[in-house]
Amino acid sequence: DQQVKQNSPSLSVQEGRISILNCDYTNSMFDYFLWYKKYPAEGPTFLISISSIKDKNEDGRFTVFLNKSAKHLSLHIVPSQPGDSAVYFCAAVNGGSQGNLIFGKGTKLSVKP
Amino acid sequence: DVKVTQSSRYLVKRTGEKVFLECVQDMDHENMFWYRQDPGLGLRLIYFSYDVKMKEKGDIPEGYSVSREKKERFSLILESASTNQTSMYLCASVYMGQGRHEQYFGPGTRLTVT
């Protein structure tokens, strides 16, 4: 059973507007959540992470919000730029284990000029 | 800027060959991980290291070994390559501490074993 779910396979946004990427999880033992951006044939690029004891973390244009009661997190990109077009993965750290990541299946973001 | 490099982007080897995959990071991180990525299976942890000369088995260590002689370098070794080890191999350099957890990936090595 998938522990980390990204239910939207794709998202299209106009340049300059906000992109909101969503992620749900099932395991309340996850202690960190990370967001990655990935281009084809490249490794994932780390964007931002959040500890499970926080509800918000911000870094430049990227903000991650965590709602523990709903087991939901989201990545906000403001303003969106054409260069943000990529596949975005949500990942959770398996708390209490070796620290390996469990990834969602990704959401393809297209930012149109 | 963060930098994780892997020795090869693409590699083709024959069954039974010994294969070395190298990963180098320049962030002075203590933790380094090796994953493999397969369609439908996601990322699976092979081995990790939390310090020089220290190593721990991940979820799928069989058929692999690792070496960490220097802090910046973590090598994955396929002792005798087999066709079921054809995969994308990803190395990660990991920062854990001060309430943060960040994993930085290299570009990946696509290994084909024939």
Side-chain angles (χ1 to χ4, degrees), chain B residues 41-105:
Chain B
L41 295 176
L43 276 182
R44 291 181 291 167
L45 182 65
I46 305 171
Y47 264 97
F48 67 103
S49 168
Y50 52 88
D51 204 349
V52 175
K53 296 195 186 294
M54 307 300 284
K55 61 186 179 186
E56 293 285 344
K57 292 179 181 178
D59 298 320
I60 51 163
E62 296 79 18
Y64 303 94
S65 62
V66 290
S67 171
R68 185 118 181 253
E69 295 298 316
K70 293 185 177 182
K71 193 174 187 180
E72 67 270 19
R73 195 178 297 267
F74 190 34
S75 301
L76 180 70
I77 304 153
L78 286 65
E79 297 291 344
S80 176
S82 63
T83 54
N84 64 10
Q85 292 178 310
T86 292
S87 186
M88 169 70 93
Y89 289 87
L90 287 164
C91 170
S93 180
V94 184
Y95 176 78
M96 300 183 200
Q98 297 183 320
R100 289 159 50 198
H101 184 115
E102 300 167 2
Q103 295 200 20
Y104 297 90
F105 285 88

Side-chain angles (χ1 to χ4, degrees), chain A residues 10-48:
Chain A
S10 63
L11 175 68
S12 184
V13 168
Q14 207 66 33
E15 181 179 5
R17 307 291 277 263
I18 184 171
S19 295
I20 300 177
L21 298 146
N22 294 303
C23 180
D24 297 295
Y25 62 95
T26 56
N27 188 342
S28 57
M29 295 300 292
F30 289 146
D31 50 8
Y32 291 93
F33 300 91
L34 291 73
W35 281 95
Y36 287 87
K37 173 180 177 180
K38 190 177 184 304
Y39 296 113
E42 293 186 13
T45 299
F46 172 75
L47 292 173
I48 191 168

Side-chain angles (χ1 to χ4, degrees), chain A:
Chain A
D1 196 22
Q2 257 190 288
Q3 296 188 69
V4 178
K5 297 177 188 176
Q6 293 177 258
N7 292 318
S8 301
S10 63
L11 175 68
S12 184
V13 168
Q14 207 66 33
E15 181 179 5
R17 307 291 277 263
I18 184 171
S19 295
I20 300 177
L21 298 146
N22 294 303
C23 180
D24 297 295
Y25 62 95
T26 56
N27 188 342
S28 57
M29 295 300 292
F30 289 146
D31 50 8
Y32 291 93
F33 300 91
L34 291 73
W35 281 95
Y36 287 87
K37 173 180 177 180
K38 190 177 184 304
Y39 296 113
E42 293 186 13
T45 299
F46 172 75
L47 292 173
I48 191 168
S49 64
I50 187 167
S51 163
S52 62
I53 63 171
K54 296 190 171 184
D55 54 20
K56 179 182 174 181
N57 190 26
E58 202 170 342
D59 185 359
R61 296 188 298 118
F62 302 98
T63 303
V64 56
F65 295 92
L66 176 62
N67 182 334
K68 280 189 77 175
S69 60
K71 294 193 176 73
H72 176 85
L73 64 154
S74 59
L75 175 69
H76 292 213
I77 306 173
V78 184
S80 302
Q81 299 170 353
D84 294 329
S85 298
V87 179
Y88 287 78
F89 290 91
C90 166
V93 178
N94 204 348
S97 74
Q98 309 101 326
N100 55 297
L101 295 178
I102 298 172
F103 278 81
K105 291 191 181 296
T107 297
K108 184 174 183 180
L109 173 67
S110 299
V111 180
K112 300 193 182 312

